[in-house]
Amino acid sequence: DAGVIQSPRHEVTEMGQEVTLRCKPISGHDYLFWYRQTMMRGLELLIYFNNNVPIDDSGMPEDRFSAKMPNASFSTLKIQPSEPRDSAVYFCASSLGQGPYEQYFGPGTRLTVT
Amino acid sequence: AQSVAQPEDQVNVAEGNPLTVKCTYSVSGNPYLFWYVQYPNRGLQFLLKYITGDNLVKGSYGFEAEFNKSQTSFHLKKPSALVSDSALYFCAVRPNTGGFKTIFGAGTRLFVKA
């Protein structure tokens, strides 16, 4: 398996623009997670899905952030409008089942909002 | 509140010497415990996990971790450090009931000097 795939790897945009980050989880994994990593706040869980259904979005910072998972092989994280404080590395991860399974992380998308 | 603490921001060790990266947690019940490693410009990578049983867990790249229930600790260890072990290490804890949220520590940067 190719692992978790994220695109784009780098995104530079201007404040106010819409940003869409994409993720393809590992086939067969039924949990998908979106994280944000910054120097100041470390690794933060934004939202996670089980079988394409959002389970906990309490980490989504504001209404400007939204995430969808239309099918088992694709998820998006959208920021509209983007702000400079959204600059971070965004990771997608996937995992098997409800047991003690580890998460597999994608390479991340480095977002810079100017 | 549930939490994971990695008390050292950075650990410095000479190549060939043993290394320890510390982790303590405050999570009720019998959680699952994980260690992940992050190399520059990469996603987190699973190293090892504790579910139940033997307190010493062996993982990838010669790493092992020691679980201590009374001290609620899960320290990462390696008998002989390599320069290539230099990276950011994250301890993570997931309660085994009530949801699938994994709590990550702030990370410890390991620097191995040749």
Side-chain angles (χ1 to χ4, degrees), chain B residues 6 29 32 35 39 76 84 87 99 109:
Chain B
Q6 293 182 240
Y32 307 124
W35 276 101
Y39 297 101
L76 181 69
S84 57
R109 189 162 299 280

Side-chain angles (χ1 to χ4, degrees), chain B residues 58-99:
Chain B
K58 294 189 183 297
S60 307
Y61 313 120
F63 283 93
E64 55 192 27
E66 187 170 15
F67 169 64
N68 187 315
K69 185 169 184 175
S70 63
Q71 297 185 2
T72 60
S73 67
F74 189 53
H75 301 331
L76 181 69
K77 301 183 178 188
K78 188 173 183 181
S80 178
L82 300 173
V83 172
S84 57
D85 293 330
S86 298
L88 186 58
Y89 290 81
F90 290 92
C91 180
V93 179
R94 181 162 82 76
N96 63 1
T97 58

Side-chain angles (χ1 to χ4, degrees), chain A residues 39-59:
Chain A
M39 290 292 292
M40 290 297 295
R41 301 173 69 93
L43 193 66
E44 302 173 274
L45 175 65
L46 301 177
I47 185 171
Y48 75 90
F49 295 82
N50 176 215
N51 290 324
N52 314 336
V53 176
I55 302 300
D56 187 338
D57 65 355
S58 60

Side-chain angles (χ1 to χ4, degrees), chain B residues 11-88:
Chain B
V11 170
N12 299 308
V13 64
E15 188 173 35
N17 283 0
L19 69 88
T20 298
V21 182
K22 296 179 181 176
C23 172
T24 59
Y25 62 92
S26 176
V27 175
S28 57
N30 299 305
Y32 307 124
L33 309 170
F34 303 84
W35 276 101
Y36 291 84
V37 60
Q38 185 179 27
Y39 297 101
N41 301 312
R42 303 283 295 275
L44 278 69
Q45 191 176 323
F46 168 72
L47 271 181
L48 51 78
K49 63 185 174 186
Y50 175 82
I51 303 170
T52 187
D54 193 350
N55 290 345
L56 188 65
V57 178
K58 294 189 183 297
S60 307
Y61 313 120
F63 283 93
E64 55 192 27
E66 187 170 15
F67 169 64
N68 187 315
K69 185 169 184 175
S70 63
Q71 297 185 2
T72 60
S73 67
F74 189 53
H75 301 331
L76 181 69
K77 301 183 178 188
K78 188 173 183 181
S80 178
L82 300 173
V83 172
S84 57
D85 293 330
S86 298
L88 186 58

Side-chain angles (χ1 to χ4, degrees), chain A residues 15-93:
Chain A
M15 182 174 66
Q17 296 298 307
E18 177 179 297
V19 175
T20 299
L21 310 182
R22 297 173 175 80
C23 175
K24 175 179 169 53
I26 292 173
S27 176
H29 284 189
D30 53 4
Y31 280 84
L32 183 139
F33 307 83
W34 282 101
Y35 290 91
R36 178 171 69 176
Q37 186 178 36
T38 61
M39 290 292 292
M40 290 297 295
R41 301 173 69 93
L43 193 66
E44 302 173 274
L45 175 65
L46 301 177
I47 185 171
Y48 75 90
F49 295 82
N50 176 215
N51 290 324
N52 314 336
V53 176
I55 302 300
D56 187 338
D57 65 355
S58 60
M60 296 286 261
E62 302 171 32
D63 292 345
R64 298 185 295 106
F65 286 70
S66 63
K68 294 181 179 180
M69 193 165 184
N71 58 61
S73 59
F74 184 65
S75 177
T76 60
L77 178 67
K78 186 177 293 187
I79 308 172
Q80 167 63 15
S82 58
E83 296 183 2
R85 59 192 168 124
D86 301 331
S87 297
V89 181
Y90 291 81
F91 290 104
C92 176

